[in-house]
Amino acid sequence: MPIGITALGTYVPTRVLTNKELEGMFDTSDEWIVSRTGIRERHLAAEDEFASDMGVRAVNDLSARYPGVLEGVDMVVCATSSPDALFPSTAAIIAGQVGLNGAGALDVLVACSGFMYALSVAQGMVLAKTATKVLVLGAEALSKILDWTDRTTCILFGDGAGAAIVEEVPEGYGFQSFVLGADSTGGPSLYKFAVADHIPGVPVGTGAMLGMNGREVFKFAVRVLGDSGEKAMNKAGLSGSDIDWMVPHQANVRIIESACGRFGVPLEKTVINLDRYGNTSTASVPLALREALDDGRVKDGDQLLLVAFGGGLSWGASAMKWYGGAGRKVAVQEQELVVK
Ligand code: UT7
């Protein structure tokens, strides 16, 4: 029984923070940020807008694109690096606000790899018949956990959310492989305290806000994006030339370029939108994929490779055949409406 994504919605807050504005906040330049990362601007949540709010708005977008899509959802899985609270889960808060009270709800906390892990959790639940239709979210209010005086970290991130439906798909579509992993030796390279106010290996007095050793994460990311992507392709019996579109975690264009070289997927077949959103952690893969669907790059039956990395340090990759059937149905409905 193949399982896959059948619907995808997204949301980004309206407030845009440009590199030029950052120049007025601390010693940096548009030129430095663009040349080192590829990022030009990012969207920031309003003061009273949190991960759950953005998740709800991504679900609203999902429902607008695929009317009736929430019918039958019996599980909500939310990947987030910036949950509203330790508990209740951000998933439970979102479920309650989109009319899914009573469905199971859990958060997945694997930093920027979280969306890939959440897709895999959803697939497992459907295969085990624990659930039949899972709402999977990546929702982030990262701007709330950034140190806005640390020019090395705060320039990188943005806020936003994605919402997907994972359920049975027709034969020949859906997830073909998952590769998930973590290596705690790199834990001190990317961190944010929760209950304990220390992490082994992290300098005392830091960690209240997101902390990062950029160079270490960079080296790890180049290696792990390539390795996990290659493993996901091998597991599915694929090679780089079979991939129609790679959708990587949107952290740094230089990381993506280096990873492409490692496993033979050309940059022209890679979806990149970090220039306008920055690194939105768990929301980055759904935001990039939705954009590529909207502009017609990704089509029904396309061979996709999704890859992400993040705190843990962690990684997650999946090969999948895109199922565009649900989207086609909506497009036909819209055409009929226009004809009338
Ligand atoms: O989801 C995972 C999240 N994290 C990542 O993906 C981070 C991965 N790492 C990176 O993207 C890069 O390491 C950064 C973009 C964070 C930094 O780029 P880099 O080329 O590794 O720069 P660097 O840390 O080696 O710093 C080079 C110089 C330093 O100055 P000195 O010591 O050479 O005088 C920094 O102080 O650049 C300076 N610098 C800046 N200058 C202007 C650091 N941040 C800035 C800035 N503007 N915003």
Side-chain angles (χ1 to χ4, degrees):
M1 177 174 77
I3 314 293
I5 298 175
T6 56
L8 188 64
T10 53
Y11 168 81
V12 287
T14 48
R15 161 92 169 101
V16 174
L17 178 69
T18 63
N19 290 349
K20 272 270 166 251
E21 284 173 87
L22 288 173
E23 286 179 1
M25 292 164 61
F26 41 74
D27 181 16
T28 191
S29 66
D30 177 54
E31 193 276 329
W32 191 95
I33 299 172
V34 173
S35 65
R36 300 288 176 125
T37 71
I39 299 165
R40 294 179 185 278
E41 58 188 37
R42 67 288 290 146
H43 292 246
L44 299 190
E47 213 167 303
D48 59 352
E49 191 175 35
F50 295 91
S52 67
D53 301 304
M54 286 181 275
V56 167
R57 286 169 187 146
V59 176
N60 291 343
D61 179 55
L62 185 76
S63 294
R65 290 173 184 272
Y66 309 82
V69 73
L70 296 185
E71 215 172 285
V73 169
D74 49 4
M75 185 65 63
V76 181
V77 181
C78 181
T80 177
S81 313
S82 47
D84 292 19
L86 285 178
F87 51 86
S89 67
T90 303
I93 298 171
I94 293 169
Q97 291 188 24
V98 300
L100 292 174
N101 251 336
L106 74 147
D107 284 358
V108 167
L109 224 169
V110 200
C112 304
S113 312
F115 191 74
M116 302 310 303
Y117 273 72
L119 290 177
S120 163
V121 166
Q123 182 205 33
M125 284 188 169
V126 177
L127 281 173
K129 300 196 187 308
T130 307
T132 52
K133 192 172 181 182
V134 186
L135 172 63
V136 175
L137 294 122
E140 299 294 358
L142 294 166
S143 59
K144 317 271 190 216
I145 61 165
L146 294 175
D147 176 352
W148 284 98
T149 64
D150 177 1
R151 66 179 181 170
T152 314
T153 56
C154 72
I155 55 147
L156 298 174
F157 297 95
D159 298 331
I165 295 291
V166 171
E167 60 185 329
E168 244 184 280
V169 291
E171 211 52 57
Y173 289 101
F175 302 122
Q176 299 153 305
S177 65
F178 274 102
V179 170
L180 307 174
D183 175 1
S184 73
T185 58
S189 299
L190 192 52
Y191 52 88
K192 160 79 179 81
F193 294 162
V195 177
D197 64 355
H198 70 284
I199 298 170
V202 171
V204 175
T206 61
M209 304 310 259
L210 184 148
M212 186 183 73
N213 180 333
R215 283 184 203 181
E216 285 306 314
V217 177
F218 193 100
K219 280 188 280 181
F220 162 80
V222 168
R223 177 170 54 81
V224 91
L225 266 192
D227 287 356
S228 63
E230 194 164 25
K231 278 186 190 142
M233 288 192 292
N234 289 343
K235 245 178 145 174
L238 304 166
S239 65
S241 58
D242 297 314
I243 304 301
D244 293 310
W245 290 102
M246 174 168 80
V247 188
H249 172 45
Q250 308 285 311
N252 184 320
V253 76
R254 291 190 294 139
I255 293 174
I256 295 172
E257 282 167 359
S258 313
C260 281
R262 282 175 76 99
F263 54 53
V265 177
L267 202 55
E268 309 83 72
K269 289 188 166 188
T270 303
V271 181
I272 300 176
N273 69 355
L274 58 83
D275 52 321
R276 282 156 292 129
Y277 303 104
N279 177 348
T280 55
S281 190
T282 61
S284 87
V285 166
L287 279 172
L289 180 53
R290 186 65 258 178
E291 194 165 298
L293 286 164
D294 285 343
D295 64 23
R297 274 177 290 174
V298 172
K299 293 180 284 303
D300 183 51
D302 274 0
Q303 178 62 57
L304 304 184
L305 178 67
L306 275 44
V307 258
F309 65 91
L313 293 171
S314 61
W315 57 92
S318 175
M320 72 171 77
K321 276 266 186 191
W322 181 253
Y323 175 60
R328 255 203 325 266
K329 214 158 52 190
V330 174
V332 170
Q333 277 169 8
E334 278 168 3
Q335 262 178 15
E336 283 169 358
L337 280 177
V338 172
V339 172
K340 276 174 201 165

